[in-house]
Amino acid sequence: MIRMKPVDIVIVGFGWTGAIMGIELADTGLKILALERGAYRDTSPDFVYPHNADELAYGIRGELFQPLARETVTVRHAVSDTAVPYRQYGSFLFGNNVGGAGIHWNGQHYRPSPEDLEIHSHISKRYGQKFMPDDMQIQDYGVAYDELEPYLEQFEYLCGTSGTAGNLNGEIKPGGNPFEGARKKPYPNPAVADTYGAKLFADAARAVGYHPFPQPSDNASRPYTNPHGVRLGPCNLCGYCERFGCFMYSKASPQTTILPVLMRKPNFELRTHSHVTKINLDSSGKRATGVTYIDAQGQQVEQPADLVIVSAFQMHNVRLMLLSGIGTPYDPNTGKGVIGKNYAYQMMSSIGVFFDKDVAINPFIGGGAGGVQIVDDFNADHFDHGPHGFVGGAYIYGGQTGGRPIQQLIVPPGTPSWGAGWKKAAKDNYLHATTVATHGSVMSYRDRYLDLDPTYKDAFGLPLLRITFDWHDNEYKMSQFVTERAQEIVKQMNPKATSLTLRKPGDHYDIRQYQTTHTTGGVIQGASPDSSALNRFQQSWDVSNVFVTGASAFPQNLGYNPTGLIGGLTYMSVKAIRETYLKQPGPLVQA
Amino acid sequence: MSSKQPSSPSRRDFLRQSLVAVPAVSLMGTAAIAQTQSGTAATPAVAAGPKYTPRYFTAPEWDFLEAAVDRLIPSNEDGPGAVEAGVPEFLDRQMEAAYGHGGLWYMQGPFVPDSPPTLGYQLRYTPRELYRKGIAAIDDWCQKQHNQKFAALPADQRDAILHQLEKGEIKLDDVPTAAFFSQLLTNTKEGYFADPMYGGNKQMGAWKMIGFPGARADFADWVEQPGKVYPFGPVSIEGAKS
């Protein structure tokens, strides 16, 4: 075992939240070390045109994704089942290398609705405790929207988010989302122009009586210089966004917003090819002494540190906590324990919308987030759930992010999957089809959780993380209801044909189909060590010099894309570290 | 068995002659000529350029692939078929890549192939192994059932067998046929639509057919003109234009 010189702060995983932690702590002058299992990556030379416009390499083979050959997860539907490995990419996509999933994401940048953060209190108050099924165990975040608002804004101004404000200091503004929480400042950039599919959707949604607005986008609509002095360029809607790096410096990522400044700080060091396998504890088990990692040569390295910030992807955070023995593992039989608790996902549906040949959709024109229109009338608690008997909701999305033909070509229902009929349908419909989709919440349940697999191992011989997950009735009901609203809009669009993907009771969670990479929970934040792993500042209740960032802190999943909330919670956490914790290390909230 | 004297060769000849006899064929160009050939795997449609020599697939496997992908995406007046688009070459080259060796997949056991399909691929085979075992098993089955290998069967019979494979209706030792078919169809469409530098989508024919502009990747001027037909043909990563 190699023993390195101690550092003040070690950051495990160098994606969005690791980079935010690094830059926000750099001015303390403390020695900060970030450990990243992958390689260094930057716009040039790694994402340059034309090599980036390669659907097979990036979109299908997953050049930017974590190699599953070395480490994956296992999946089962129920506590009594035996899990098997997620051997090929499907349902969700792990990022890899510096920047993490912040490289290959779409840039859909949402804030939570205020009630999302206090969902248990809110639902209890408005509908009564009995409105929630017995096995649903949703919880409040321990942070209210008004308190988080400055941090949500800070992340938007870092990213140069392009959008139209809907609620500015309580005043509802035309063209924005009238259901959003009040924002103190408008978006830093105006919305990206609509693609044609989005325009048709928004016109129809208005005609039906809903409130469409441009999707808040971290594909910049114009040149932008962020508060660190880092510059982004305008998005050209290239159609190679999600699953790809951005060759235009338009998509916000750690590389395009933080790293040019952070990498020059003398007290900051990044070590790539450094795979952390354990957070080390002292003999009391109450204090972390640093981490152990495996370097590029395969050697075990011990890295002492006073403060450990766990900033890997949601699932990797949970696994590292379990491998390190921090906090009590969750037990679905008793409902006790916290690590692995409340794993959740998102519930999607999708409608293919096919027009005649006089409607030129040009589906290849697309940003990952920009150029799409959203209806938020049926998300969160934006409508009265009383008559419908479910908790949560979904936003409805109109338009497309690109028309990459291997993955994104759609054909009308009844088309054979191959042969002359498939080919003719592909030819006739490609230019004239768009998509309307719903993007919905999933609540947390007693029998949905994460733990270590008893059988399958990674390349180092360590147990894989095991997912126990399937849909519950609440989510089928939610998806059915919001999809019907989406169908009303689609009908108004007057297409010649539509197709529908809707998950109905009896349909099991299918890991073969890409749904979202928005996996959540497992190291959740909350009000009490009995029910959560972290306090409201994302500090471990059990080991106070360990903080855990990212969507692993979400007590249940919301209908929005998670990154905006992840960024806001990280900024709130790092401010507490900088201004309170570092002055007097110890618990920021007394248990 | 009755298949000892199959009627298919004469039917094949009839089809070929009848199509060639149609005067319009000459006006329809290579697509129509390819269509006349697509009925016989022995003379697959071949695009211009030097003939590709497979590195991984054996001659019988190559015959099988040409005869199968020719039915999955047939050549006709709508656009190029998979054979003239170079899909077999794409498949062979993918077998030599990390992908073909299973290098992108988690391949540690134990393997539980009878897991629910919703839990995804659970076979022990890499793509190379799946193709090798699958093709051999299907050719054996065809030999037993029809006294000929798959590639020698007429188009309609190949179609019928592919449908059976897709539905898992043919039971073979070792290889679940639906999994094999799914792999073949997925890789065929990949090769048809991927950038031509991977060996398929010759002359960007599949992109031209549907109207995809390939690696142009710059539509800043076009998003402001919603509903207008995009006027430019595709470009490839290596700079080919059309």
Side-chain angles (χ1 to χ4, degrees):
Chain A
M1 173 98 77
I2 299 163
R3 194 165 193 277
M4 304 298 280
K5 272 176 59 179
V7 296
D8 297 304
I9 302 169
V10 66
I11 296 171
V12 180
F14 200 50
W16 262 128
T17 64
I20 291 170
M21 283 283 174
I23 191 84
E24 293 297 311
L25 292 168
D27 289 342
T28 60
L30 294 171
K31 176 132 188 60
I32 303 167
L33 169 66
L35 298 173
E36 163 58 40
R37 63 160 72 171
Y40 197 77
R41 288 282 181 269
D42 212 340
T43 307
S44 174
D46 299 304
F47 314 136
V48 294
Y49 182 83
H51 305 290
N52 203 52
D54 183 345
E55 182 182 16
L56 185 74
Y58 294 98
I60 304 300
R61 298 285 182 258
E63 182 73 25
L64 300 181
F65 306 153
Q66 172 188 313
L68 293 184
R70 295 185 59 77
E71 181 189 325
T72 184
V73 292
T74 66
V75 187
R76 59 180 181 172
H77 288 126
V79 175
S80 55
D81 294 349
T82 300
V84 291
Y86 180 59
R87 296 185 182 276
Q88 306 172 340
Y89 275 113
S91 178
F92 44 77
L93 309 169
F94 296 128
N96 199 38
N97 301 317
V98 166
I103 296 295
H104 82 252
W105 73 315
N106 296 63
Q108 294 155 313
H109 191 139
Y110 287 92
R111 294 180 172 200
S113 271
E115 65 269 26
D116 284 327
L117 300 175
E118 299 174 283
I119 190 167
H120 187 266
S121 305
H122 177 89
I123 298 293
S124 302
K125 195 171 149 198
R126 184 168 178 188
Y127 305 107
Q129 286 266 7
K130 289 211 159 49
F131 199 70
M132 294 169 273
D134 286 344
D135 60 348
M136 185 184 281
Q137 47 190 26
I138 56 179
Q139 297 179 193
D140 297 353
Y141 278 71
V143 180
Y145 177 84
D146 288 346
E147 186 180 16
L148 195 62
E149 202 278 338
Y151 308 107
L152 298 170
E153 177 191 295
Q154 192 174 2
F155 189 43
E156 287 166 354
Y157 276 74
L158 177 88
C159 294
T161 309
S162 299
T164 306
N167 180 343
L168 207 52
N169 293 301
E171 191 185 329
I172 302 302
K173 308 296 268 185
N177 179 7
F179 302 98
E180 72 176 353
R183 55 176 68 243
K184 292 224 161 54
K185 281 200 212 166
Y187 285 102
N189 288 306
V192 175
D194 293 337
T195 57
Y196 193 46
K199 184 183 179 311
L200 296 175
F201 167 81
D203 290 347
R206 265 186 295 273
V208 173
Y210 302 146
H211 303 84
F213 62 93
Q215 177 158 253
S217 155
D218 285 348
N219 321 133
S221 62
R222 62 181 182 187
Y224 176 73
T225 304
N226 79 8
H228 297 301
V230 183
R231 282 177 287 189
L232 290 105
C235 171
N236 70 353
L237 292 110
C238 74
Y240 294 92
C241 192
E242 73 283 357
R243 303 183 175 216
F244 297 76
C246 177
F247 63 88
M248 293 290 289
Y249 297 85
S250 305
K251 177 161 63 172
S253 65
Q255 278 82 345
T256 57
T257 61
I258 295 172
L259 301 195
V261 175
L262 178 56
M263 296 306 291
R264 289 199 204 122
K265 301 274 184 187
N267 56 326
F268 175 81
E269 183 194 353
L270 167 67
R271 272 180 225 153
T272 55
H273 301 290
S274 302
H275 186 121
V276 175
T277 54
K278 198 172 184 200
I279 302 161
N280 300 313
L281 302 176
D282 71 4
S283 56
S284 75
K286 295 284 172 201
R287 192 184 147 70
T289 57
V291 300
T292 297
Y293 67 89
I294 298 171
D295 71 10
Q297 284 77 43
Q299 306 171 106
Q300 272 211 343
V301 181
E302 188 190 339
Q303 176 60 62
D306 289 333
L307 174 61
V308 177
I309 295 172
V310 182
S311 295
F313 185 72
Q314 174 260 341
M315 295 213 202
H316 304 327
N317 285 351
V318 182
R319 181 165 178 256
L320 188 59
M321 295 293 272
L322 290 167
L323 289 173
S324 307
I326 301 178
T328 310
Y330 176 72
D331 181 345
N333 298 306
T334 63
K336 300 221 182 312
V338 289
I339 306 298
K341 178 182 172 178
N342 282 14
Y343 173 72
Y345 195 45
Q346 281 177 326
M347 180 61 127
M348 323 294 279
S349 72
S350 176
I351 304 167
V353 184
F354 301 91
F355 293 101
D356 277 321
K357 291 192 173 174
D358 58 336
V359 178
I361 294 290
N362 296 328
F364 41 82
I365 303 178
V372 162
Q373 284 269 335
I374 302 297
V375 162
D376 209 27
D377 299 44
F378 303 100
N379 200 357
D381 199 33
H382 301 167
F383 61 104
D384 182 4
H385 284 67
H388 306 301
F390 64 82
V391 177
Y395 69 72
I396 307 171
Y397 164 118
Q400 69 284 321
T401 61
R404 304 185 300 274
I406 302 172
Q407 186 202 340
Q408 295 180 307
L409 181 144
I410 55 174
V411 288
T415 302
S417 60
W418 52 275
W422 170 80
K423 185 178 160 189
K424 179 160 177 49
K427 178 185 181 183
D428 288 348
N429 290 281
Y430 173 75
L431 290 174
H432 312 289
T434 189
T435 303
V436 170
T438 76
H439 187 284
S441 60
V442 169
M443 298 300 118
S444 46
Y445 298 93
R446 182 158 171 159
D447 59 352
R448 303 295 179 242
Y449 74 109
L450 304 170
D451 65 354
L452 295 175
D453 191 274
T455 305
Y456 295 96
K457 308 272 194 279
D458 72 5
F460 300 123
L462 297 169
L464 299 182
L465 191 72
R466 176 170 67 178
I467 300 172
T468 303
F469 182 78
D470 208 345
W471 309 113
H472 274 239
D473 287 345
N474 183 76
E475 278 62 43
Y476 292 123
K477 280 190 216 168
M478 179 281 295
S479 194
Q480 177 77 39
F481 174 78
V482 185
T483 302
E484 285 169 8
R485 306 288 80 72
Q487 286 171 315
E488 293 168 6
I489 300 171
V490 168
K491 192 174 172 208
Q492 182 70 29
M493 293 167 78
N494 197 23
K496 69 164 187 184
T498 60
S499 62
L500 174 66
T501 304
L502 172 68
R503 294 172 176 87
K504 292 186 169 156
D507 292 343
H508 289 289
Y509 171 50
D510 190 337
I511 69 159
R512 296 169 300 181
Q513 304 162 348
Y514 184 74
Q515 292 154 69
T516 76
T517 298
H518 313 147
T519 57
T520 60
V523 192
I524 65 176
Q525 64 179 82
S528 144
D530 297 333
S531 58
S532 62
L534 309 174
N535 65 28
R536 60 203 299 271
F537 300 106
Q538 307 199 308
Q539 179 183 36
S540 165
W541 290 110
D542 296 276
V543 180
S544 66
N545 64 335
V546 170
F547 287 72
V548 186
T549 62
S552 46
F554 292 12
Q556 55 280 324
N557 214 334
L558 65 177
Y560 299 110
N561 306 62
T563 309
L565 176 54
I566 289 170
L569 292 170
T570 308
Y571 276 112
M572 180 169 154
S573 172
V574 75
K575 183 162 187 265
I577 294 171
R578 201 175 53 226
E579 296 182 3
T580 310
Y581 176 88
L582 289 175
K583 287 176 184 147
Q584 193 179 357
L588 293 166
V589 179
Q590 289 306 321
Chain B
M1 299 291 285
S2 62
S3 58
K4 188 102 181 172
Q5 294 274 319
S7 61
S8 46
S10 56
R11 179 178 146 77
R12 240 164 36 218
D13 291 341
F14 168 74
L15 280 174
R16 185 186 298 165
Q17 286 159 12
S18 64
L19 276 168
V20 171
V22 174
V25 161
S26 57
L27 299 174
M28 289 162 71
T30 53
I33 292 164
Q35 188 185 34
T36 66
Q37 294 177 331
S38 70
T40 67
T43 53
V46 177
K51 188 168 162 49
Y52 177 78
T53 306
R55 290 181 61 190
Y56 175 69
F57 290 118
T58 63
E61 289 169 344
W62 190 252
D63 289 345
F64 173 94
L65 288 173
E66 289 200 322
V69 303
D70 175 57
R71 301 315 306 156
L72 296 179
I73 308 178
S75 180
N76 59 25
E77 67 280 6
D78 285 323
V83 174
E84 65 194 291
V87 167
E89 176 182 338
F90 169 86
L91 296 175
D92 190 66
R93 287 168 57 175
Q94 287 296 301
M95 294 306 106
E96 298 297 327
Y99 170 78
H101 288 266
L104 307 187
W105 299 350
Y106 182 81
M107 292 303 282
Q108 303 301 311
F111 291 88
V112 189
D114 56 350
S115 299
T118 49
L119 295 180
Y121 187 85
Q122 298 297 336
L123 302 180
R124 64 178 63 244
Y125 305 131
T126 65
R128 286 162 73 96
E129 294 163 343
L130 187 59
Y131 277 104
R132 183 134 293 160
K133 285 181 185 296
I135 292 171
I138 294 163
D139 266 344
D140 270 1
W141 184 89
C142 291
Q143 193 71 48
K144 285 187 188 126
Q145 296 293 317
H146 303 291
N147 278 343
Q148 300 199 65
K149 288 187 171 183
F150 179 83
L153 296 168
D156 54 352
Q157 211 161 353
R158 281 181 277 144
D159 282 351
I161 292 168
L162 289 168
H163 279 295
Q164 287 177 286
L165 293 171
E166 182 175 27
K167 293 178 194 151
E169 290 171 354
I170 296 175
K171 301 290 174 209
L172 304 171
D173 295 342
D174 297 349
V175 184
T177 53
F180 173 82
F181 180 88
S182 169
Q183 181 77 34
L184 177 64
L185 180 61
T186 298
N187 292 154
T188 296
K189 289 182 180 175
E190 287 169 359
Y192 193 63
F193 284 131
D195 188 276
M197 69 182 178
Y198 292 103
N201 193 13
K202 301 269 185 217
Q203 284 88 48
M204 301 183 285
W207 288 352
K208 285 182 213 164
M209 179 185 82
I210 61 170
F212 176 60
R216 284 199 181 268
D218 179 8
F219 305 109
D221 297 339
W222 290 90
V223 70
E224 305 285 358
Q225 303 178 62
K228 275 205 180 166
V229 176
Y230 183 76
F232 303 119
V235 297
S236 76
I237 289 171
E238 290 177 340
K241 293 191 181 107
S242 67

